[in-house]
Amino acid sequence: MAIRNISEALVLALLSTVAIWGALQVPEASPGETWAGIVPFGAALALGAIAVISLLGALRRANTAGDTPSTGNRGARDVIILFIIAVLYQQSFSWFGYLLPTAIVAPVALYMFGVRSPLGLALSVVLCPLAFHVIFFMLLGVYPPYGEVFDLNEFIQG
Amino acid sequence: MEIFPALLSVITDPVLLGAILLAAIVGMIVGATPGLTASAAIAMLLPITFHMPPLFALAFLYVIGKSGRYGGSIAAILFNTPGTAASAATQIDGYPLARAGKAGKAMKVATISSVIGDFMGDIMLVIGVGFIAALALKLGPPEIFAVYFAAFVVIGSVIGNSVLKGLASALLGIIIAMIGIDPISGEERYTFGMFELSNGIGLVPLMIGVFVLGEVFAQMEERRNHPAKIKSNETTDPDGNQLSWQEYKPCLPHALRGGVIGAAIGVLPGLGSAIAAFISYGEGKRRAKDPEQWGKGKLEGVAAPEAANNAVSGPSMAPLLTLGIPGSTIGAILLGVFLIHGIQVGPTLFLTDKELVYQLFACGILGIFAYGLIGYFGATRVSRIILKIPTQVLYPLIFLTAFIAAFSARGSLFDVTVMTCAGFAGWLMRKYEFNVAAFVISFVLAKGAEETFRQAMLMSKDGAMIFIERPIALAFLILGIAAIALRVRSIMKQRRKAQGALADA
């Protein structure tokens, strides 16, 4: 727990440092105006102060209390895998449009959440992209993302 | 009394009535489904409402929020898993009642009390909102900034378990909101040379990410780490029994008191329905003739928190509509809807779009009756639907919907990237007990706060002294500081009590 508290405080300190540095990149104000970086700088400084207070508190608690051993966390590993899938999925829209990536990711997501029926997974390959395409791109009139490498939608429509 | 013509115009619009009814059903199902929240549903449905007229969109989402608050009680009573944080208080007596075979009775008490509380809150809103708006019109930039400051501090320090983490979440929300071109000077901030960032971070993808994708990630982790805790929704017979007037009569004072508590708390930004529900439960138990029976299955123990929980809904709209300060996450999303439809929220709203505001209130009142009727006669059916929802299919579908919903908002692939990153950040914040609500509300408030702060600084000859020289501004600054001090004091007290108990043991 102590390591976790210290890590959290350090992450806050890092975020604060980046935010302060970013705010300082904002050019100075013209005469008669307020500096555009004043609010980001103030917020980043306050975040830094919270990070310092958190760090001091975490160090004090670390000296007085023993650390408990951490237990394994399979869930976090799965979340990270799902996040990587999410990043690849959203990135592939610009390469392959909407239909093909969704047809691939739908059964993967279902499998990760515990669906094991081969028929269900197979159906999701067709039904998920179809349903979302009909609702969003046909009924709501949203313009679908175009796949630069290959676009299944364009291929189907000829 | 602008509400009566507004009610008449809504009642005579069958399409709008249909939307209210649909929203009541959707909200109830979402609220009653453990792991799903009304905020997530509203965030997910937000892009769909772009294609609707403003009143239609606002009414649809507002009623989902109202009905979702009530729906949480169904999960609390039947599944011992509160659908919303506020329903945790209902669970204390609701679940023992369900185990005693009185689930139907408990759900009817929850429905009637929710309707009473919600209705009381809406009446207070309709009567008081014009008065607050008139007052708000007299406030200048220093006073409005001080109100923003108090809201940031209260939201950051009061919600959640840790004051420091709450304040850090609020500050992170402010920093993220600063990304993009400064509207006053035209200078770039935090763009790091990336063109896409110059337009700033969109509210819709951020909300979908934090509330929807973040929740999917959290559910994934929960399923893996605690597979035994995932309930297959087995429960007692939801058919329960009928409720007589003699049975409800002792609950009525608790419902009315809960309504007053909830409505009073609802006006204050950030406190929210969970606090109202627990205060009402505590107050009800304190005044009860048989407090020792509370927690073992008392109908009054369901009535008190449910009325307070729902009474928050209406009054929480008052700071949003009059000052542009959302008091809850649902309020923050509704603020986004107003902005998307080009409606400026604040005191001038009552001059420019008064009719729309009162029509929205009218939709809210009709929404209460809609979920009341559906809940009273159909809560057991709703619970049967929820029993049939396979969560291993539901969450992957929500996962996929998050991407297309984020894209639909502006047809931007960058928004989808923002949503994905926000989802991961939202999961991390939940995991490490940071305050997601404070983060999002602060993100929404930050631009307005910055504008008033800089206007005040331009007005001032003595710099920041303007906030101390003006009495109303000073009062709100003191309120913010007092909120932190009181919260820290209460946490220290709890800690000392816990240490004392440990030493005794």
Side-chain angles (χ1 to χ4, degrees):
Chain A
M1 197 67 186
I3 293 170
R4 178 179 148 168
N5 289 337
I6 292 169
S7 310
E8 282 173 12
L10 288 175
V11 169
L12 282 183
L14 180 71
L15 289 173
S16 152
T17 310
V18 173
I20 289 172
W21 176 78
L24 290 174
Q25 305 307 305
V26 179
E28 277 181 33
S30 316
E33 281 186 7
T34 49
W35 178 43
I38 189 163
V39 173
F41 183 74
L45 216 57
L47 188 64
I50 287 175
V52 171
I53 296 168
S54 303
L55 189 61
L56 291 175
L59 288 171
R60 202 176 50 236
R61 279 196 296 273
N63 290 334
T64 53
D67 215 350
T68 49
S70 64
T71 51
N73 190 346
R74 274 186 63 203
R77 190 201 62 188
D78 283 8
V79 170
I80 290 166
I81 294 170
L82 191 61
F83 173 63
I84 293 167
I85 291 169
V87 171
L88 292 174
Y89 176 47
Q90 57 92 19
Q91 191 56 47
S92 60
F93 284 175
S94 57
W95 299 329
F96 305 107
Y98 181 74
L99 292 180
L100 191 61
T102 306
I104 296 167
V105 168
V108 174
L110 283 163
Y111 187 85
M112 285 193 73
F113 271 92
V115 175
R116 295 290 180 268
S117 154
L119 181 68
L121 294 173
L123 277 176
S124 73
V125 172
V126 180
L127 290 182
C128 286
L130 183 70
F132 285 119
H133 183 87
V134 169
I135 294 168
F136 283 87
F137 302 135
M138 292 171 82
L139 294 177
L140 289 176
V142 178
Y143 197 78
Y146 176 71
E148 288 165 13
V149 179
F150 171 74
D151 196 318
L152 187 61
N153 186 30
E154 200 183 50
F155 179 76
I156 292 168
Q157 289 180 347
Chain B
M1 280 270 108
E2 291 87 349
I3 191 69
F4 296 112
L7 267 169
L8 195 67
S9 79
V10 175
I11 289 170
T12 51
D13 187 340
V15 181
L16 195 53
L17 280 179
I20 292 169
L21 196 66
L22 179 67
I25 296 168
V26 170
M28 200 183 297
I29 292 175
V30 166
T33 307
L36 272 187
T37 61
S39 306
I42 293 175
M44 208 157 51
L45 291 169
L46 192 52
I48 294 174
T49 61
F50 291 177
H51 308 272
M52 300 175 178
L55 176 63
F56 204 90
L58 285 163
F60 187 63
L61 299 180
Y62 181 45
V63 175
I64 287 180
K66 274 182 174 293
S67 184
R69 276 180 212 268
Y70 156 69
S73 68
I74 298 174
I77 293 167
L78 286 180
F79 312 134
N80 201 25
T81 310
T84 58
S87 309
T90 308
Q91 186 185 352
I92 302 172
D93 276 278
Y95 188 62
L97 279 164
R99 292 197 66 174
K102 295 178 183 172
K105 218 181 270 285
M107 282 197 286
K108 283 192 166 67
V109 168
T111 309
I112 298 170
S113 309
S114 296
V115 168
I116 290 173
D118 215 342
F119 195 64
M120 284 173 72
D122 270 18
I123 288 177
M124 284 180 76
L125 171 72
V126 170
I127 294 170
V129 77
F131 177 68
I132 300 171
L135 270 181
L137 270 173
K138 291 177 184 150
L139 302 178
E143 287 81 12
I144 295 178
F145 173 73
V147 175
Y148 273 116
F149 173 81
F152 280 129
V153 173
V154 171
I155 288 162
S157 60
V158 174
I159 316 174
N161 298 326
S162 161
V163 174
L164 283 179
K165 284 185 180 178
L167 290 173
S169 310
L171 288 166
L172 284 170
I174 295 171
I175 292 169
I176 299 292
M178 294 297 122
I179 295 173
I181 293 173
D182 169 38
I184 299 171
S185 67
E187 299 289 356
E188 288 196 1
R189 298 186 297 196
Y190 295 134
T191 57
F192 307 108
M194 284 175 69
F195 170 73
E196 289 93 341
L197 284 177
S198 57
N199 281 332
I201 299 294
L203 175 67
V204 177
L206 184 95
M207 285 194 177
I208 295 173
V210 168
F211 291 123
V212 182
L213 195 62
E215 188 60 45
V216 172
F217 286 147
Q219 289 296 327
M220 164 63 86
E221 186 181 27
E222 183 69 17
R223 293 176 80 85
R224 277 285 179 271
N225 287 347
H226 307 285
K229 269 177 84 178
I230 305 299
K231 291 184 177 65
S232 54
N233 290 347
E234 84 285 4
T235 181
T236 56
D237 174 22
D239 282 328
N241 29 43
Q242 293 302 311
L243 180 74
S244 67
W245 165 241
Q246 288 307 316
E247 284 173 312
Y248 191 73
K249 203 176 162 186
C251 300
L252 191 61
H254 293 281
L256 293 173
R257 194 182 308 110
V260 173
I261 291 171
I265 287 176
V267 182
L268 306 169
L271 294 190
S273 36
I275 292 173
F278 277 102
I279 289 177
S280 178
Y281 184 86
E283 191 57 21
K285 191 176 175 180
R286 196 178 67 80
R287 287 168 180 263
K289 287 175 192 155
D290 49 355
E292 70 285 349
Q293 290 303 313
W294 283 54
K296 294 175 184 168
K298 282 289 280 182
L299 287 173
E300 291 94 317
V302 173
E306 268 310 298
N309 166 20
N310 286 275
V312 168
S313 167
S316 72
M317 294 290 281
L320 168 69
L321 297 174
T322 55
L323 295 163
I325 296 176
S328 61
T329 46
I330 293 173
I333 302 171
L334 287 177
L335 177 60
V337 181
F338 274 107
L339 297 177
I340 285 159
H341 286 280
I343 302 165
Q344 191 60 45
V345 179
T348 51
L349 179 69
F350 286 80
L351 302 174
T352 56
D353 287 288
K354 195 175 188 177
E355 201 182 334
L356 173 87
V357 173
Y358 281 96
Q359 281 176 339
L360 179 62
F361 294 166
C363 292
I365 291 169
L366 292 172
I368 298 170
F369 287 113
Y371 80 66
L373 284 173
I374 299 165
Y376 193 85
F377 296 106
T380 52
R381 283 185 190 87
V382 169
S383 65
R384 279 199 201 101
I385 294 171
I386 292 154
L387 291 172
K388 286 179 186 162
I389 296 175
T391 51
Q392 70 268 36
V393 175
L394 182 69
Y395 289 111
L397 288 182
I398 293 173
F399 174 79
L400 294 173
T401 309
F403 290 86
I404 195 160
F407 177 78
S408 307
R410 291 192 291 195
S412 158
L413 285 174
F414 180 69
D415 279 355
V416 187
T417 309
V418 168
M419 188 279 298
T420 311
C421 297
F424 194 67
W427 168 70
L428 283 174
M429 288 182 83
R430 280 180 180 86
K431 186 173 169 62
Y432 293 101
E433 291 162 357
F434 279 78
N435 193 328
V436 176
F439 171 76
V440 172
I441 295 173
S442 299
F443 174 84
V444 173
L445 292 180
K447 291 262 169 68
E450 183 190 22
E451 195 184 325
T452 52
F453 175 75
R454 286 165 72 178
Q455 280 172 350
M457 293 300 280
L458 286 175
M459 280 169 63
S460 170
K461 288 175 186 155
D462 308 316
M465 286 301 287
I466 194 167
F467 301 111
I468 294 165
E469 287 162 359
R470 314 250 301 214
I472 296 174
L474 181 64
F476 276 102
L477 292 183
I478 292 172
L479 178 76
I481 294 162
I484 296 187
L486 286 172
R487 183 80 178 110
V488 170
R489 190 168 158 254
S490 114
I491 289 174
M492 301 284 269
K493 214 171 161 183
Q494 279 173 10
R495 215 173 267 173
R496 272 200 297 272
K497 218 181 236 178
Q499 279 170 353
L502 211 66
D504 288 347

